[in-house]
Amino acid sequence: LQYTRGTVTAFAPFDARADAEALRKAMKGMGTDEETVLKILTTRNNAQRQEIASAFKTLFGRDLVDDLKSELTGKFETLMVSLMRPAYIFDAHALKHAIKGAGTNEKVLTEILASRTPAEVQNIKQVYLQEYEANLEDKITGETSGHFQRMLVVLLQASRDPDVGVDEALVEQDAQVLFRAGELKWGTDEEKFITILGTRSISHLRRVFDKYMTISGFQIEETIDRETSGDLEKLLLAVVKCIRSVPAYFAETLYYSMKGAGTDDDTLIRVMVSRSEIDLLDIRQEFRKNFAKSLYQMIQKDTSGDYRKALLLLCGGDDE
């Protein structure tokens, strides 16, 4: 799957040694030249950052990530270190940290497993096993429970039907089943929601949502909102939103990470870094359409210092 809607692409002409030298100079001696660090790391793609890290080790016998950690602080440090994480391990690493220690970060489990393609989920499971010598599904089932756990397990199977033609009879049937399981019943038959939302193809489900609206007079989101609660509700809603549009889901995720008092910087960083080479241009478009301001402006208003400069460079432009 070639992604072409990212804001960060391969830098040309690229010289890993020159970049490594510039970074070493920026961090050597008294004080750090943060501007150079952020300019280089936000304008090279992940594959190039890995080359810079290996040139850095070859030239100076030092670990670039360790140097960044010792020279930088706070959210800016977190962002730079996240940019340096190899792309293939990014999601596995985020999940590992979401399920370790006291308390599970359900938000991270929800965001990643609801939005990734089946191929991406298979890849995450493999990488998790290689890197952490543990089975991701076992880890997640050990830390979650109930219908929330079941929906996560269904998503982890990564066996969603492929998108090949839509059977209108099955669309009608699924919409009726969801209607009966949700609106027509005291208590919701969550199993039906989990099975249908977790296994049917994307184009099929988009038709089911339209049909559901026709039958019930409600958007499926409204029913989920009324009939379920807590982590399960958040997960089902995330899945529905991602089926409708992954970029719109991430636009909303970014919006709520900054809206109101305080910023959820972990989410802001994770989404900006993980989508920067995939679909951040589409996310920006959806953001502008749905929230009457640009992502660029919101970041500008909500963050500060080198952290802001780096995020704005990743954002790659204003949509006003």
CSV table of all heavy atoms in Angstrom, one decimal, residues 5 126 181:
chain,number,residue,atom,x,y,z
A,5,ARG,N,-0.4,10.7,0.7
A,5,ARG,CA,-1.1,11.9,1.2
A,5,ARG,C,-0.5,12.4,2.5
A,5,ARG,O,-1.1,13.0,3.3
A,5,ARG,CB,-2.6,11.5,1.4
A,5,ARG,CG,-3.3,11.1,0.1
A,5,ARG,CD,-3.5,12.3,-0.9
A,5,ARG,NE,-4.3,13.3,-0.3
A,5,ARG,CZ,-4.3,14.6,-0.7
A,5,ARG,NH1,-3.5,15.0,-1.6
A,5,ARG,NH2,-5.1,15.5,-0.1
A,126,GLN,N,3.0,-9.3,14.4
A,126,GLN,CA,4.3,-9.9,14.1
A,126,GLN,C,5.4,-9.1,14.8
A,126,GLN,O,6.3,-9.7,15.4
A,126,GLN,CB,4.5,-9.9,12.6
A,126,GLN,CG,4.0,-11.2,11.9
A,126,GLN,CD,4.0,-11.0,10.4
A,126,GLN,OE1,3.8,-9.9,9.9
A,126,GLN,NE2,4.3,-12.0,9.7
A,181,ALA,N,-31.1,-5.2,17.4
A,181,ALA,CA,-30.2,-5.4,18.5
A,181,ALA,C,-30.0,-4.1,19.3
A,181,ALA,O,-29.8,-4.2,20.5
A,181,ALA,CB,-28.8,-5.8,18.0
